[in-house]
Amino acid sequence: EVQLLESGGGLIQPGGSLRLSCAASGFTFSNYALSWVRQAPGKGLEWVAAIRSSGGNTYYADSVKGRFTISRDNSKNTLSLQMNSLRAEDTAVYYCVKSSSGWYLFDYWGQGALVTVSS
Amino acid sequence: DIQMTQSPSSLSASVGDSVTITCRASQSISSYLNWYQQKPGKAPKLLIYAASSLQSGVPSKFSGSGSGTDFTLTISSLQPEDFATYYCQQSYSTPPTFGQGTKLEIK
């Protein structure tokens, strides 16, 4: 059974940093691309960042480019999102998402981690 | 970026009804269109991929069609567990983008 378990969410002041982690199991981690997708309270879904299976290529939404960094450790089956210079508009539930054979076909989602940016 | 527009934004229906949700892309995305279901407090769940392919384990009451810029999701014989929010998403290009969602409510 595929499982994606996010951790690291919480309350952070504007301008602060936070690191989200996602522990994966139930599939061959190193074979699949992964993404982070977020959802602001009461709003729709917004893709944040993606990383290829090897970790060699990363992609970001314009809204987070230069502030967020996606990375993965294929030896530990772990995906991470380093978030710097956080803003109030980054407040959201962040989902760790596995891609299927298609690059942006999201077949499994974690339960989400809430990040609240507020003073 | 490719903009995805769903209609309607909300929809009321009764148990046993069939409903259709429409998704339009701002440019052609071939068949790179996926549908997700999200229930309150839960993560989205993949229902349909490549416009019309049913994800494993998803009941056949869900069906998708379309190509190019216009797509539909049809849900037949609505049951209480089908009342949720539905999102379309294009996987044609970076960044992948979602529709704003269609909230399906019980009448």
Side-chain angles (χ1 to χ4, degrees), chain A residues 4-69:
Chain A
L4 299 164
L5 186 61
E6 301 94 339
S7 61
L11 175 64
I12 187 75
Q13 291 189 337
S17 297
L18 204 61
R19 186 177 184 88
L20 298 181
S21 295
C22 173
S25 61
F27 64 101
T28 305
F29 185 80
S30 59
N31 285 358
Y32 295 93
L34 298 162
S35 287
W36 290 96
V37 174
R38 68 184 180 184
Q39 186 169 37
K43 303 297 184 181
L45 301 166
E46 179 189 17
W47 171 81
V48 172
I51 187 166
R52 290 204 182 265
S53 58
S54 64
N57 295 90
T58 57
Y59 304 84
Y60 298 92
D62 286 345
S63 58
V64 306
K65 199 172 295 182
R67 300 187 298 122
F68 289 13
T69 302

Short mmCIF file of all heavy atoms in Angstrom, two decimals, chain A residues 4-69:
data_model
loop_
_atom_site.label_atom_id
_atom_site.label_comp_id
_atom_site.label_asym_id
_atom_site.label_seq_id
_atom_site.Cartn_x
_atom_site.Cartn_y
_atom_site.Cartn_z
N LEU A 4 2.18 8.10 2.02
CA LEU A 4 2.95 9.34 2.01
C LEU A 4 2.58 10.09 3.28
O LEU A 4 1.41 10.42 3.48
CB LEU A 4 2.61 10.17 0.77
CG LEU A 4 2.90 9.51 -0.58
CD1 LEU A 4 2.18 10.24 -1.70
CD2 LEU A 4 4.40 9.46 -0.83
N LEU A 5 3.57 10.33 4.12
CA LEU A 5 3.29 10.93 5.43
C LEU A 5 4.11 12.20 5.60
O LEU A 5 5.33 12.15 5.76
CB LEU A 5 3.62 9.93 6.53
CG LEU A 5 3.24 10.37 7.95
CD1 LEU A 5 1.73 10.59 8.05
CD2 LEU A 5 3.68 9.32 8.96
N GLU A 6 3.40 13.33 5.57
CA GLU A 6 4.06 14.62 5.73
C GLU A 6 4.28 14.96 7.19
O GLU A 6 3.49 14.56 8.05
CB GLU A 6 3.23 15.74 5.08
CG GLU A 6 2.93 15.59 3.60
CD GLU A 6 1.61 14.92 3.32
OE1 GLU A 6 1.09 14.23 4.21
OE2 GLU A 6 1.08 15.10 2.20
N SER A 7 5.32 15.75 7.43
CA SER A 7 5.58 16.26 8.77
C SER A 7 6.30 17.60 8.64
O SER A 7 6.80 17.94 7.57
CB SER A 7 6.44 15.27 9.56
OG SER A 7 7.69 15.07 8.91
N GLY A 8 6.32 18.34 9.75
CA GLY A 8 7.06 19.59 9.77
C GLY A 8 6.21 20.85 9.67
O GLY A 8 6.75 21.95 9.73
N GLY A 9 4.92 20.69 9.52
CA GLY A 9 4.07 21.88 9.44
C GLY A 9 3.96 22.58 10.79
O GLY A 9 4.39 22.05 11.82
N GLY A 10 3.40 23.79 10.76
CA GLY A 10 3.21 24.52 12.00
C GLY A 10 3.00 25.99 11.77
O GLY A 10 2.80 26.44 10.64
N LEU A 11 3.06 26.74 12.86
CA LEU A 11 2.89 28.20 12.82
C LEU A 11 4.26 28.86 12.74
O LEU A 11 5.16 28.56 13.53
CB LEU A 11 2.15 28.66 14.08
CG LEU A 11 1.99 30.16 14.28
CD1 LEU A 11 1.13 30.77 13.18
CD2 LEU A 11 1.37 30.43 15.66
N ILE A 12 4.40 29.78 11.79
CA ILE A 12 5.67 30.46 11.58
C ILE A 12 5.39 31.93 11.26
O ILE A 12 4.38 32.25 10.63
CB ILE A 12 6.47 29.78 10.44
CG1 ILE A 12 7.87 30.36 10.33
CG2 ILE A 12 5.72 29.88 9.15
CD1 ILE A 12 8.80 29.89 11.40
N GLN A 13 6.27 32.79 11.71
CA GLN A 13 6.10 34.21 11.46
C GLN A 13 6.50 34.56 10.03
O GLN A 13 7.34 33.88 9.42
CB GLN A 13 6.96 35.03 12.44
CG GLN A 13 6.48 34.97 13.87
CD GLN A 13 7.22 35.95 14.76
OE1 GLN A 13 8.34 36.36 14.46
NE2 GLN A 13 6.59 36.33 15.88
N PRO A 14 5.90 35.63 9.49
CA PRO A 14 6.31 36.07 8.15
C PRO A 14 7.81 36.32 8.10
O PRO A 14 8.40 36.87 9.03
CB PRO A 14 5.52 37.37 7.97
CG PRO A 14 4.32 37.21 8.84
CD PRO A 14 4.79 36.44 10.03
N GLY A 15 8.41 35.88 6.99
CA GLY A 15 9.84 36.01 6.83
C GLY A 15 10.62 34.82 7.35
O GLY A 15 11.83 34.71 7.08
N GLY A 16 9.95 33.94 8.05
CA GLY A 16 10.62 32.78 8.64
C GLY A 16 10.79 31.64 7.65
O GLY A 16 10.41 31.72 6.48
N SER A 17 11.39 30.55 8.16
CA SER A 17 11.67 29.37 7.35
C SER A 17 11.07 28.14 8.00
O SER A 17 10.93 28.07 9.24
CB SER A 17 13.18 29.16 7.19
OG SER A 17 13.78 30.24 6.51
N LEU A 18 10.75 27.17 7.17
CA LEU A 18 10.17 25.92 7.64
C LEU A 18 10.55 24.83 6.65
O LEU A 18 10.67 25.10 5.45
CB LEU A 18 8.65 26.05 7.73
CG LEU A 18 7.87 25.13 8.68
CD1 LEU A 18 8.32 25.36 10.13
CD2 LEU A 18 6.37 25.40 8.55
N ARG A 19 10.74 23.62 7.16
CA ARG A 19 11.07 22.51 6.28
C ARG A 19 10.03 21.41 6.44
O ARG A 19 9.81 20.91 7.54
CB ARG A 19 12.46 21.96 6.60
CG ARG A 19 12.95 20.89 5.62
CD ARG A 19 14.37 20.44 5.97
NE ARG A 19 14.91 19.49 5.02
CZ ARG A 19 15.57 19.83 3.92
NH1 ARG A 19 15.77 21.10 3.63
NH2 ARG A 19 16.04 18.89 3.10
N LEU A 20 9.40 21.05 5.34
CA LEU A 20 8.45 19.94 5.34
C LEU A 20 9.16 18.68 4.86
O LEU A 20 10.03 18.74 3.98
CB LEU A 20 7.28 20.22 4.40
CG LEU A 20 6.40 21.43 4.73
CD1 LEU A 20 5.27 21.54 3.70
CD2 LEU A 20 5.84 21.33 6.13
N SER A 21 8.78 17.57 5.44
CA SER A 21 9.28 16.28 5.00
C SER A 21 8.13 15.36 4.67
O SER A 21 7.02 15.53 5.17
CB SER A 21 10.14 15.64 6.10
OG SER A 21 11.30 16.40 6.34
N CYS A 22 8.42 14.39 3.81
CA CYS A 22 7.41 13.40 3.42
C CYS A 22 8.10 12.04 3.39
O CYS A 22 9.04 11.83 2.62
CB CYS A 22 6.84 13.74 2.05
SG CYS A 22 5.73 12.48 1.37
N ALA A 23 7.64 11.15 4.25
CA ALA A 23 8.16 9.79 4.30
C ALA A 23 7.28 8.90 3.43
O ALA A 23 6.06 8.84 3.64
CB ALA A 23 8.20 9.29 5.73
N ALA A 24 7.90 8.21 2.48
CA ALA A 24 7.15 7.40 1.53
C ALA A 24 7.40 5.92 1.74
O ALA A 24 8.50 5.51 2.15
CB ALA A 24 7.52 7.79 0.10
N SER A 25 6.39 5.13 1.44
CA SER A 25 6.53 3.68 1.53
C SER A 25 5.52 3.03 0.60
O SER A 25 4.57 3.67 0.14
CB SER A 25 6.32 3.19 2.96
OG SER A 25 5.03 3.52 3.42
N GLY A 26 5.74 1.75 0.31
CA GLY A 26 4.78 1.00 -0.48
C GLY A 26 5.01 1.03 -1.98
O GLY A 26 4.21 0.49 -2.74
N PHE A 27 6.10 1.69 -2.41
CA PHE A 27 6.43 1.72 -3.84
C PHE A 27 7.93 1.95 -3.98
O PHE A 27 8.60 2.31 -3.01
CB PHE A 27 5.63 2.79 -4.58
CG PHE A 27 5.92 4.22 -4.15
CD1 PHE A 27 6.74 5.04 -4.90
CD2 PHE A 27 5.36 4.74 -2.99
CE1 PHE A 27 7.00 6.34 -4.52
CE2 PHE A 27 5.61 6.04 -2.59
CZ PHE A 27 6.43 6.85 -3.35
N THR A 28 8.44 1.74 -5.18
CA THR A 28 9.87 1.94 -5.42
C THR A 28 10.12 3.44 -5.60
O THR A 28 9.96 4.00 -6.69
CB THR A 28 10.33 1.16 -6.67
OG1 THR A 28 9.99 -0.22 -6.50
CG2 THR A 28 11.84 1.29 -6.85
N PHE A 29 10.50 4.06 -4.50
CA PHE A 29 10.57 5.52 -4.40
C PHE A 29 11.40 6.14 -5.53
O PHE A 29 11.01 7.14 -6.12
CB PHE A 29 11.17 5.87 -3.04
CG PHE A 29 11.19 7.33 -2.72
CD1 PHE A 29 10.05 7.98 -2.26
CD2 PHE A 29 12.38 8.06 -2.85
CE1 PHE A 29 10.08 9.34 -1.94
CE2 PHE A 29 12.42 9.42 -2.54
CZ PHE A 29 11.27 10.05 -2.08
N SER A 30 12.53 5.55 -5.81
CA SER A 30 13.47 6.15 -6.76
C SER A 30 12.99 6.10 -8.21
O SER A 30 13.65 6.66 -9.10
CB SER A 30 14.83 5.46 -6.65
OG SER A 30 14.70 4.08 -6.91
N ASN A 31 11.88 5.46 -8.47
CA ASN A 31 11.37 5.34 -9.83
C ASN A 31 10.38 6.42 -10.23
O ASN A 31 10.00 6.51 -11.41
CB ASN A 31 10.69 3.98 -10.04
CG ASN A 31 11.68 2.84 -10.16
OD1 ASN A 31 12.89 3.05 -10.14
ND2 ASN A 31 11.17 1.63 -10.27
N TYR A 32 9.94 7.24 -9.28
CA TYR A 32 8.83 8.14 -9.56
C TYR A 32 9.13 9.59 -9.23
O TYR A 32 9.79 9.91 -8.24
CB TYR A 32 7.59 7.70 -8.79
CG TYR A 32 7.08 6.37 -9.22
CD1 TYR A 32 7.48 5.21 -8.56
CD2 TYR A 32 6.22 6.25 -10.31
CE1 TYR A 32 7.03 3.96 -8.97
CE2 TYR A 32 5.77 5.01 -10.73
CZ TYR A 32 6.18 3.87 -10.06
OH TYR A 32 5.74 2.65 -10.48
N ALA A 33 8.60 10.47 -10.07
CA ALA A 33 8.64 11.90 -9.77
C ALA A 33 7.69 12.20 -8.62
O ALA A 33 6.71 11.45 -8.39
CB ALA A 33 8.24 12.69 -11.01
N LEU A 34 7.97 13.27 -7.92
CA LEU A 34 7.16 13.69 -6.79
C LEU A 34 6.92 15.19 -6.86
O LEU A 34 7.72 15.93 -7.44
CB LEU A 34 7.87 13.35 -5.48
CG LEU A 34 8.13 11.88 -5.20
CD1 LEU A 34 9.20 11.71 -4.14
CD2 LEU A 34 6.85 11.17 -4.78
N SER A 35 5.83 15.60 -6.26
CA SER A 35 5.49 17.03 -6.23
C SER A 35 4.97 17.42 -4.85
O SER A 35 4.62 16.56 -4.03
CB SER A 35 4.39 17.35 -7.26
OG SER A 35 4.84 17.32 -8.58
N TRP A 36 4.94 18.72 -4.64
CA TRP A 36 4.19 19.32 -3.54
C TRP A 36 3.06 20.13 -4.16
O TRP A 36 3.29 20.91 -5.10
CB TRP A 36 5.07 20.22 -2.69
CG TRP A 36 6.10 19.50 -1.87
CD1 TRP A 36 7.40 19.27 -2.20
CD2 TRP A 36 5.90 18.89 -0.59
NE1 TRP A 36 8.03 18.56 -1.21
CE2 TRP A 36 7.13 18.32 -0.20
CE3 TRP A 36 4.80 18.78 0.29
CZ2 TRP A 36 7.31 17.65 1.02
CZ3 TRP A 36 4.98 18.11 1.50
CH2 TRP A 36 6.21 17.55 1.85
N VAL A 37 1.87 19.94 -3.62
CA VAL A 37 0.69 20.69 -4.04
C VAL A 37 0.08 21.28 -2.78
O VAL A 37 -0.01 20.60 -1.76
CB VAL A 37 -0.33 19.78 -4.76
CG1 VAL A 37 -1.62 20.55 -5.07
CG2 VAL A 37 0.27 19.21 -6.05
N ARG A 38 -0.34 22.54 -2.84
CA ARG A 38 -0.90 23.16 -1.64
C ARG A 38 -2.33 23.64 -1.86
O ARG A 38 -2.78 23.80 -2.99
CB ARG A 38 -0.02 24.33 -1.19
CG ARG A 38 -0.01 25.54 -2.10
CD ARG A 38 0.98 26.59 -1.58
NE ARG A 38 1.02 27.79 -2.44
CZ ARG A 38 1.85 28.80 -2.24
NH1 ARG A 38 2.72 28.77 -1.22
NH2 ARG A 38 1.81 29.85 -3.06
N GLN A 39 -2.98 23.86 -0.75
CA GLN A 39 -4.38 24.29 -0.77
C GLN A 39 -4.59 25.28 0.36
O GLN A 39 -4.57 24.89 1.54
CB GLN A 39 -5.32 23.10 -0.64
CG GLN A 39 -6.78 23.44 -0.80
CD GLN A 39 -7.63 22.17 -0.92
OE1 GLN A 39 -7.37 21.17 -0.27
NE2 GLN A 39 -8.67 22.23 -1.76
N ALA A 40 -4.76 26.54 0.03
CA ALA A 40 -5.05 27.56 1.03
C ALA A 40 -6.43 27.29 1.63
O ALA A 40 -7.29 26.67 0.98
CB ALA A 40 -5.00 28.94 0.39
N PRO A 41 -6.66 27.74 2.84
CA PRO A 41 -7.94 27.47 3.51
C PRO A 41 -9.14 27.89 2.67
O PRO A 41 -9.23 29.04 2.25
CB PRO A 41 -7.84 28.29 4.80
CG PRO A 41 -6.38 28.40 5.05
CD PRO A 41 -5.74 28.48 3.71
N GLY A 42 -10.03 26.94 2.39
CA GLY A 42 -11.24 27.21 1.62
C GLY A 42 -11.02 27.46 0.14
O GLY A 42 -11.96 27.86 -0.56
N LYS A 43 -9.79 27.23 -0.34
CA LYS A 43 -9.47 27.51 -1.74
C LYS A 43 -9.17 26.24 -2.51
O LYS A 43 -9.29 25.13 -2.00
CB LYS A 43 -8.26 28.46 -1.81
CG LYS A 43 -8.46 29.77 -1.07
CD LYS A 43 -9.59 30.60 -1.66
CE LYS A 43 -9.71 31.95 -0.96
NZ LYS A 43 -10.83 32.76 -1.50
N GLY A 44 -8.79 26.42 -3.78
CA GLY A 44 -8.50 25.29 -4.65
C GLY A 44 -7.07 24.81 -4.53
O GLY A 44 -6.31 25.21 -3.64
N LEU A 45 -6.69 23.94 -5.45
CA LEU A 45 -5.39 23.29 -5.43
C LEU A 45 -4.39 24.06 -6.28
O LEU A 45 -4.71 24.53 -7.37
CB LEU A 45 -5.52 21.86 -5.98
CG LEU A 45 -6.49 20.97 -5.20
CD1 LEU A 45 -6.80 19.71 -6.00
CD2 LEU A 45 -5.90 20.60 -3.84
N GLU A 46 -3.17 24.18 -5.76
CA GLU A 46 -2.09 24.88 -6.46
C GLU A 46 -0.83 24.03 -6.41
O GLU A 46 -0.32 23.73 -5.33
CB GLU A 46 -1.82 26.25 -5.83
CG GLU A 46 -0.69 27.01 -6.51
CD GLU A 46 -0.26 28.26 -5.78
OE1 GLU A 46 -0.57 28.39 -4.58
OE2 GLU A 46 0.40 29.10 -6.38
N TRP A 47 -0.32 23.67 -7.57
CA TRP A 47 0.95 22.96 -7.64
C TRP A 47 2.08 23.89 -7.21
O TRP A 47 2.10 25.08 -7.60
CB TRP A 47 1.17 22.46 -9.06
CG TRP A 47 2.53 21.90 -9.30
CD1 TRP A 47 2.99 20.65 -8.98
CD2 TRP A 47 3.63 22.58 -9.92
NE1 TRP A 47 4.30 20.53 -9.36
CE2 TRP A 47 4.71 21.68 -9.94
CE3 TRP A 47 3.80 23.86 -10.46
CZ2 TRP A 47 5.95 22.03 -10.48
CZ3 TRP A 47 5.02 24.21 -11.01
CH2 TRP A 47 6.09 23.29 -11.02
N VAL A 48 3.02 23.38 -6.43
CA VAL A 48 4.10 24.19 -5.88
C VAL A 48 5.44 23.86 -6.52
O VAL A 48 6.17 24.76 -6.95
CB VAL A 48 4.18 23.99 -4.35
CG1 VAL A 48 5.41 24.67 -3.77
CG2 VAL A 48 2.90 24.49 -3.67
N ALA A 49 5.79 22.58 -6.53
CA ALA A 49 7.12 22.19 -7.01
C ALA A 49 7.11 20.71 -7.36
O ALA A 49 6.29 19.95 -6.85
CB ALA A 49 8.18 22.46 -5.94
N ALA A 50 8.05 20.32 -8.22
CA ALA A 50 8.19 18.93 -8.63
C ALA A 50 9.65 18.57 -8.76
O ALA A 50 10.50 19.44 -9.01
CB ALA A 50 7.46 18.68 -9.95
N ILE A 51 9.94 17.28 -8.60
CA ILE A 51 11.30 16.79 -8.73
C ILE A 51 11.27 15.45 -9.45
O ILE A 51 10.41 14.61 -9.18
CB ILE A 51 11.98 16.68 -7.34
CG1 ILE A 51 13.46 16.34 -7.48
CG2 ILE A 51 11.25 15.70 -6.43
CD1 ILE A 51 14.24 16.55 -6.17
N ARG A 52 12.18 15.27 -10.38
CA ARG A 52 12.22 14.03 -11.14
C ARG A 52 12.73 12.88 -10.26
O ARG A 52 13.26 13.09 -9.19
CB ARG A 52 13.06 14.20 -12.39
CG ARG A 52 12.38 15.11 -13.41
CD ARG A 52 12.86 14.85 -14.82
NE ARG A 52 12.26 15.73 -15.81
CZ ARG A 52 11.21 15.43 -16.53
NH1 ARG A 52 10.60 14.27 -16.37
NH2 ARG A 52 10.73 16.27 -17.43
N SER A 53 12.59 11.67 -10.76
CA SER A 53 12.91 10.49 -9.97
C SER A 53 14.36 10.48 -9.48
O SER A 53 14.64 10.09 -8.34
CB SER A 53 12.62 9.22 -10.78
OG SER A 53 13.36 9.22 -11.99
N SER A 54 15.26 10.94 -10.33
CA SER A 54 16.69 10.94 -9.97
C SER A 54 17.05 12.12 -9.08
O SER A 54 18.13 12.15 -8.49
CB SER A 54 17.53 11.00 -11.23
OG SER A 54 17.30 12.24 -11.91
N GLY A 55 16.17 13.10 -9.03
CA GLY A 55 16.46 14.32 -8.27
C GLY A 55 17.23 15.35 -9.07
O GLY A 55 17.51 16.44 -8.58
N GLY A 56 17.53 15.02 -10.32
CA GLY A 56 18.37 15.90 -11.12
C GLY A 56 17.68 17.12 -11.68
O GLY A 56 18.34 18.08 -12.08
N ASN A 57 16.37 17.09 -11.75
CA ASN A 57 15.62 18.22 -12.30
C ASN A 57 14.51 18.63 -11.35
O ASN A 57 13.77 17.78 -10.86
CB ASN A 57 15.01 17.84 -13.66
CG ASN A 57 16.07 17.57 -14.71
OD1 ASN A 57 16.51 16.43 -14.85
ND2 ASN A 57 16.51 18.59 -15.40
N THR A 58 14.43 19.91 -11.13
CA THR A 58 13.38 20.44 -10.25
C THR A 58 12.64 21.57 -10.97
O THR A 58 13.20 22.24 -11.85
CB THR A 58 13.96 20.98 -8.94
OG1 THR A 58 14.95 21.99 -9.24
CG2 THR A 58 14.62 19.86 -8.14
N TYR A 59 11.38 21.76 -10.59
CA TYR A 59 10.52 22.75 -11.23
C TYR A 59 9.69 23.42 -10.14
O TYR A 59 9.30 22.77 -9.17
CB TYR A 59 9.61 22.08 -12.26
CG TYR A 59 10.37 21.30 -13.29
CD1 TYR A 59 10.77 19.99 -13.04
CD2 TYR A 59 10.71 21.87 -14.52
CE1 TYR A 59 11.50 19.27 -13.96
CE2 TYR A 59 11.43 21.15 -15.46
CZ TYR A 59 11.83 19.86 -15.17
OH TYR A 59 12.54 19.15 -16.11
N TYR A 60 9.42 24.71 -10.34
CA TYR A 60 8.72 25.47 -9.31
C TYR A 60 7.63 26.35 -9.91
O TYR A 60 7.76 26.85 -11.04
CB TYR A 60 9.70 26.37 -8.57
CG TYR A 60 10.77 25.60 -7.83
CD1 TYR A 60 12.00 25.32 -8.43
CD2 TYR A 60 10.56 25.14 -6.53
CE1 TYR A 60 12.98 24.61 -7.77
CE2 TYR A 60 11.53 24.42 -5.86
CZ TYR A 60 12.73 24.15 -6.47
OH TYR A 60 13.70 23.43 -5.81
N ALA A 61 6.60 26.57 -9.13
CA ALA A 61 5.62 27.59 -9.47
C ALA A 61 6.28 28.96 -9.33
O ALA A 61 7.15 29.15 -8.47
CB ALA A 61 4.41 27.49 -8.56
N ASP A 62 5.85 29.90 -10.16
CA ASP A 62 6.43 31.25 -10.09
C ASP A 62 6.25 31.86 -8.69
O ASP A 62 7.09 32.63 -8.23
CB ASP A 62 5.77 32.16 -11.13
CG ASP A 62 6.25 31.86 -12.54
OD1 ASP A 62 7.28 31.17 -12.69
OD2 ASP A 62 5.58 32.32 -13.49
N SER A 63 5.16 31.50 -8.03
CA SER A 63 4.84 32.09 -6.73
C SER A 63 5.83 31.70 -5.63
O SER A 63 5.88 32.36 -4.59
CB SER A 63 3.43 31.69 -6.31
OG SER A 63 3.30 30.28 -6.25
N VAL A 64 6.61 30.65 -5.85
CA VAL A 64 7.55 30.20 -4.81
C VAL A 64 8.99 30.15 -5.31
O VAL A 64 9.91 29.89 -4.51
CB VAL A 64 7.15 28.82 -4.25
CG1 VAL A 64 5.70 28.83 -3.77
CG2 VAL A 64 7.38 27.71 -5.27
N LYS A 65 9.21 30.40 -6.58
CA LYS A 65 10.55 30.30 -7.15
C LYS A 65 11.50 31.24 -6.45
O LYS A 65 11.19 32.41 -6.21
CB LYS A 65 10.49 30.62 -8.65
CG LYS A 65 11.66 30.13 -9.46
CD LYS A 65 11.40 30.33 -10.95
CE LYS A 65 10.26 29.49 -11.44
NZ LYS A 65 10.03 29.65 -12.90
N GLY A 66 12.66 30.71 -6.08
CA GLY A 66 13.65 31.51 -5.38
C GLY A 66 13.48 31.49 -3.86
O GLY A 66 14.38 31.93 -3.14
N ARG A 67 12.36 31.00 -3.37
CA ARG A 67 12.11 30.95 -1.93
C ARG A 67 12.01 29.50 -1.43
O ARG A 67 12.39 29.21 -0.28
CB ARG A 67 10.81 31.68 -1.57
CG ARG A 67 10.79 33.14 -1.94
CD ARG A 67 9.54 33.85 -1.39
NE ARG A 67 8.30 33.30 -1.93
CZ ARG A 67 7.33 32.79 -1.18
NH1 ARG A 67 7.44 32.77 0.15
NH2 ARG A 67 6.22 32.31 -1.74
N PHE A 68 11.47 28.62 -2.24
CA PHE A 68 11.29 27.22 -1.86
C PHE A 68 12.28 26.34 -2.62
O PHE A 68 12.63 26.62 -3.76
CB PHE A 68 9.87 26.75 -2.20
CG PHE A 68 8.77 27.34 -1.34
CD1 PHE A 68 8.99 28.42 -0.49
CD2 PHE A 68 7.50 26.80 -1.37
CE1 PHE A 68 7.97 28.95 0.28
CE2 PHE A 68 6.46 27.31 -0.61
CZ PHE A 68 6.70 28.39 0.21
N THR A 69 12.69 25.25 -1.96
CA THR A 69 13.57 24.27 -2.60
C THR A 69 13.04 22.86 -2.33
O THR A 69 12.86 22.47 -1.18
CB THR A 69 15.00 24.38 -2.06
OG1 THR A 69 15.50 25.70 -2.29
CG2 THR A 69 15.91 23.37 -2.76
#
